[in-house]
Amino acid sequence: MKERIKIILLVIAAILVLALIAVVSVRIYHNAQKFHVPGQNERQMVEPDVHSWMTVEEIAAKYETSTSAVFEAFNIQPESGDDKLTLRDLKNKYGKSRDEMLQGLDKIITSSGPPPGPPPDSSSEHSPGPGSDSSTAPGPATDKGSSP
C-alpha cells in the first residue's frame, strides 16, 4: 500500500511539473510574439552612414564641422560631456522628437557639402564615345606613318 501511495504522489508531482512547464512555455511564446525587432528603416536615421549610436564628436568629424555647429543644428544648449553622448541619448536627454533629430542631421549634411566617400568615377569622362576617332580608342599601337 505504501508503494502505491508513493507512485500516486510521484505521478501527481510529474503532472504538476509538466503543467508548470506548459504554462511557462506558453507565456514565453506569447512574449516572443510581442517582441519587435527594429527594421532597417527604424535603425537608420538619415543615411546609411549615420546611426543613432554615433556621438556628436563622430558626426562633427564625419561632416568636417565643429561640435558646436552640430549642437546648433539640433537647437541644443550643450552641457559639459554632451559631445560624448550618442544621438539617441541626446534625443532622450533633451526631449527631442525623431523628426527634430532628422531635421538637425539634414542641416548638418546639407551644410557640409557632398557626402564623404570615394570620388565619382572619372574614367567615363576619358573613354571614347560612340562615333569617336578610332585613333584614340584603346588597342594595339600601330605606326600610321609607314607603309609595309
Side-chain angles (χ1 to χ4, degrees), residues 76-115:
I76 291 176
Q77 296 296 323
E79 296 175 0
S80 178
D82 280 354
D83 53 344
K84 304 226 184 294
L85 292 177
T86 64
L87 294 179
R88 180 182 296 122
D89 291 340
L90 275 179
K91 175 181 159 286
N92 294 336
K93 181 177 180 179
Y94 291 99
K96 299 288 183 178
S97 70
R98 184 174 190 273
D99 289 336
E100 289 173 313
M101 296 300 284
L102 289 172
Q103 289 171 356
L105 280 173
D106 191 45
K107 286 180 192 175
I108 295 165
I109 292 168
T110 55
S111 68
S112 71

Side-chain angles (χ1 to χ4, degrees), residues 58-82:
E58 292 170 332
I59 298 293
K62 180 175 183 63
Y63 291 101
E64 299 174 350
T65 186
S66 66
T67 55
S68 60
V70 173
F71 285 118
E72 185 179 318
F74 291 130
N75 295 324
I76 291 176
Q77 296 296 323
E79 296 175 0
S80 178
D82 280 354

Side-chain angles (χ1 to χ4, degrees), residues 30-61:
H30 286 295
N31 286 334
Q33 294 297 318
K34 293 178 188 176
F35 186 72
H36 172 70
V37 177
Q40 189 72 11
N41 294 344
E42 295 168 292
R43 289 192 306 250
Q44 294 179 345
M45 295 186 77
V46 172
E47 61 179 49
D49 294 334
V50 177
H51 303 278
S52 60
W53 46 258
M54 294 177 81
T55 65
V56 172
E57 289 177 336
E58 292 170 332
I59 298 293

